[in-house]
């Protein structure tokens, strides 16, 4: 029987090879309140936001971030580590960014966003190839053509149409982490103001979060696509 680490390395290699990914797939573990802190992952020297950890992990870095190492309370509260700050809950914080006409519009955005319903005490964020745990979610950052393939991978058995939920803020913490963890469905974000201010997310890149439980089936289907469907598509870029 192969280990979790071996499965993750194999899945990462196949996603990168077959899809031609620009970056490493990123594994995320939400550390539940009653769980032991995982060993073997470095704690950053200074606080950083969750979205910064995700975008750096796609370049090969790994992070163990206890709650007190999360610099962004918006992300930390969405991921179950803290209570939502009053200025965030009221809409005041994001209204000050200038994208919305009124605070009630911002409050509705926050109220409609997913939030982890259980208490957590930190995150582990690392390349999938380096993860020795079953991820809660695997995050992919790439151009639309690469992200497109996750739609047929997700619908190949059950069919139907895919619905995504996103907003001008909280791309990493809500759109591609909390939402897929809660729904059990992949979710796409086109980025957010925070990610585009704090990270190196490129103008032509999208982000998708895939529940970790979906990864094995997706890999099996992707191997079939490699020689069957993909050669028929224009995959330039």
């Amino acid at each position: 029987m192969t280990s979790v680490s071996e499965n993750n390395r194999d899945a990462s290699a196949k996603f990168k090879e077959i899809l031609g990914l620009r970056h490493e797939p990123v594994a995320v573990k939400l550390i539940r309140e009653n769980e032991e802190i995982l060993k073997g992952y470095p704690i950053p020297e200074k606080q950083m936001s969750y979205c910064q950890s995700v975008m750096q992990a796609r370049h090969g870095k790994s992070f163990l971030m206890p709650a007190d190492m999360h610099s962004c309370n918006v992300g930390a509260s969405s991921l179950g580590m803290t209570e939502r700050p009053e200025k965030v809950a009221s809409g005041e914080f994001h209204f000050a960014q200038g994208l919305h006409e009124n605070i009630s519009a911002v409050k509705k955005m926050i109220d409609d966003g997913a939030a982890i319903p259980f208490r957590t005490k930190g995150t582990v964020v690392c390349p999938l190839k380096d993860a020795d745990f079953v991820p809660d979610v695997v995050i992919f950052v790439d151009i639309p053509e690469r992200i497109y393939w996750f739609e047929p991978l997700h619908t190949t058995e059950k069919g139907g149409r895919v619905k995504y939920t996103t907003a001008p803020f909280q791309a990493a913490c809500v759109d591609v982490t909390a939402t897929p963890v809660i729904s059990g469905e992949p979710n796409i974000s086109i980025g957010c103001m925070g990610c585009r201010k704090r990270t190196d997310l490129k103008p032509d890149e999208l982000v998708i979060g895939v529940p970790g439980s979906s990864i094995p089936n997706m890999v099996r289907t992707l191997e079939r696509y490699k020689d069957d469907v993909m050669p028929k598509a224009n995959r330039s870029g």
Side-chain angles (χ1 to χ4, degrees):
M1 177 178 290
T2 57
S3 67
V4 169
S5 296
E6 290 171 326
N7 288 335
N8 288 338
R9 284 196 297 270
D10 179 66
S12 179
K14 287 175 179 173
F15 276 120
K16 288 189 291 183
E17 174 198 352
I18 299 172
L19 290 179
L21 298 178
R22 286 180 174 182
H23 312 293
E24 296 286 342
V26 175
V28 175
K29 166 74 174 172
L30 302 175
I31 306 172
R32 275 66 168 174
E33 195 170 36
N34 61 349
E35 289 181 328
E36 294 291 328
I37 297 291
L38 297 180
K39 300 185 184 301
Y41 300 93
I43 297 176
E45 295 181 0
K46 59 181 181 180
Q47 285 186 323
M48 63 195 308
S49 66
Y50 175 72
C51 60
Q52 288 172 329
S53 71
V54 169
M55 295 304 163
Q56 290 190 37
R58 68 179 174 144
H59 297 310
K61 295 188 177 180
S62 297
F63 303 98
L64 164 60
M65 293 173 59
D68 62 2
M69 293 304 296
H70 283 256
S71 63
C72 175
N73 286 329
V74 176
S77 60
S78 298
L79 298 177
M81 282 172 271
T82 65
E83 296 298 322
R84 180 169 287 164
E86 176 55 36
K87 288 187 176 181
V88 174
S90 69
E92 181 181 350
F93 176 80
H94 289 98
F95 179 66
Q97 306 302 311
L99 295 184
H100 292 81
E101 291 289 335
N102 54 73
I103 288 181
S104 62
V106 185
K107 186 177 187 307
K108 178 170 174 53
M109 176 192 71
I110 296 298
D111 289 345
D112 288 352
I116 295 298
F118 49 83
R119 181 63 66 183
T120 66
K121 58 184 180 183
T123 55
V124 176
V125 181
C126 67
L128 179 61
K129 67 180 179 63
D130 298 330
D132 64 0
F133 53 86
V134 176
D136 288 297
V137 66
V138 179
I139 297 172
F140 300 82
V141 182
D142 220 300
I143 60 176
E145 192 279 336
R146 308 303 190 253
I147 301 300
Y148 155 77
W149 291 100
F150 289 95
E151 286 189 347
L153 288 173
H154 177 56
T155 59
T156 184
E157 292 184 5
K158 67 179 184 178
R161 300 185 66 83
V162 182
K163 296 180 181 180
Y164 301 121
T165 174
T166 188
F169 295 97
Q170 299 181 291
C173 55
V174 170
D175 290 355
V176 301
T177 303
T179 297
V181 168
I182 293 169
S183 70
E185 306 277 331
N187 195 53
I188 284 178
S189 174
I190 56 177
C192 74
M193 178 69 81
C195 279
R196 298 195 180 279
K197 286 172 62 176
R198 293 174 175 165
T199 79
D200 64 347
L201 181 67
K202 293 180 174 59
D204 63 345
E205 290 179 327
L206 304 180
V207 191
I208 187 169
V210 178
S213 58
S214 299
I215 293 298
N217 282 340
M218 284 190 171
V219 170
R220 285 191 288 272
T221 303
L222 190 62
E223 290 180 299
R224 175 172 65 82
Y225 286 178
K226 178 182 178 181
D227 298 318
D228 181 15
V229 181
M230 286 182 163
K232 303 173 186 177
N234 179 5
R235 304 207 60 220
S236 60

